[in-house]
Amino acid sequence: MASIFPTPSPIFSHLITLTFLFVLATTPAAATGEDGTFVKRVDRRLLGLKKEKLSHFKFYWHDIQSGPNPTSVPIVLPPSNKSTTGYGGVNMIDNPLTLGPKLSSKMVGRAQGLYGSASQQGVGLMMVMNFAFMEGKYNGSTITVLGRNMIFSKVREMAVIGGTGLFRFARGYVEARTSTFDLKTGDAVVEYNVYVMHY
């Protein structure tokens, strides 16, 4: 049975083949990135990112190691090397964040993460934590903090390295000041001032 479609000319066939090969050759680069890798530029407006702003948050961090319901628990004990700094010990935390220094004041979030004694000279902690907010428009958003905390210094500065929700692409720093510290129980209340650039 004869085809109702005319046989394409050889030039037309070559043109179709070349077009197909061109599209095939350029599509992976367009799908993956400008240079053929897995990276491509994105207009930040497509993600709803507008003008960057600086916000200041102030709250109190309650590290409770005593009592029936501690919010800071040891997960790695320091080796028995008679270290006076507790070097090598690690605690996991789920600490309340409140508006005032009293635990009974309004809770705005929780500090979740861990800290470890990372200094052989002086009590210096390596802090890795998320401030997980549960109040107002920031409910569900987090700020991630990483840094060195020499706990007996009057003011300690740590870096804000990112965040989620309303704090995507966050950067900045925190200042920590001890409000109260009980040497017998290890319980502490620390004032945190957070300065964060975010969209």
Side-chain angles (χ1 to χ4, degrees):
M1 180 177 198
S3 171
I4 59 171
F5 297 106
T7 304
S9 72
I11 293 174
F12 182 74
S13 294
H14 288 310
L15 251 153
I16 296 274
T17 304
L18 285 173
T19 302
F20 176 74
L21 289 174
F22 176 76
V23 169
L24 191 64
T26 58
T27 299
T32 57
E34 295 171 353
D35 59 356
T37 65
F38 58 92
V39 180
K40 70 176 182 177
R41 291 180 190 233
V42 177
D43 185 341
R44 68 181 179 184
R45 290 170 296 187
L46 294 175
L47 297 175
L49 303 175
K50 297 176 184 170
K51 187 176 179 184
E52 194 175 29
K53 56 187 171 274
L54 174 64
S55 296
H56 171 218
F57 296 84
K58 179 181 175 181
F59 45 75
Y60 291 83
W61 179 91
H62 297 265
D63 196 56
I64 305 166
Q65 298 186 21
S66 65
N69 191 25
T71 63
S72 175
V73 295
I75 55 172
V76 176
L77 295 174
S80 56
N81 58 6
K82 299 188 176 162
S83 167
T84 58
T85 67
Y87 176 67
V90 179
N91 276 40
M92 186 66 67
I93 63 169
D94 185 15
N95 291 346
L97 302 174
T98 63
L99 286 180
K102 292 187 185 286
L103 187 57
S104 58
S105 62
K106 184 175 183 176
M107 187 162 66
V108 294
R110 301 194 75 87
Q112 298 172 327
L114 54 89
Y115 59 78
S117 179
S119 177
Q120 293 183 24
Q121 293 84 32
V123 182
L125 304 178
M126 172 66 172
M127 310 287 292
V128 182
M129 60 185 165
N130 288 314
F131 293 145
F133 296 104
M134 51 180 67
E135 182 62 30
K137 72 176 186 176
Y138 299 108
N139 183 23
S141 296
T142 66
I143 292 174
T144 303
V145 174
L146 175 71
R148 179 177 186 240
N149 184 355
M150 298 301 288
I151 65 171
F152 292 118
S153 296
K154 184 176 179 181
V155 180
R156 290 89 66 194
E157 187 175 309
M158 291 165 273
V160 169
I161 61 167
T164 63
L166 293 178
F167 300 109
R168 292 178 188 143
F169 301 105
R171 58 195 170 88
Y173 69 99
V174 302
E175 289 181 345
R177 293 172 174 83
T178 301
S179 179
T180 61
F181 179 60
D182 187 327
L183 278 169
K184 185 184 278 187
T185 63
D187 292 354
V189 178
V190 179
E191 177 189 308
Y192 271 85
N193 284 276
V194 182
Y195 299 90
V196 59
M197 299 290 292
H198 63 104
Y199 289 96

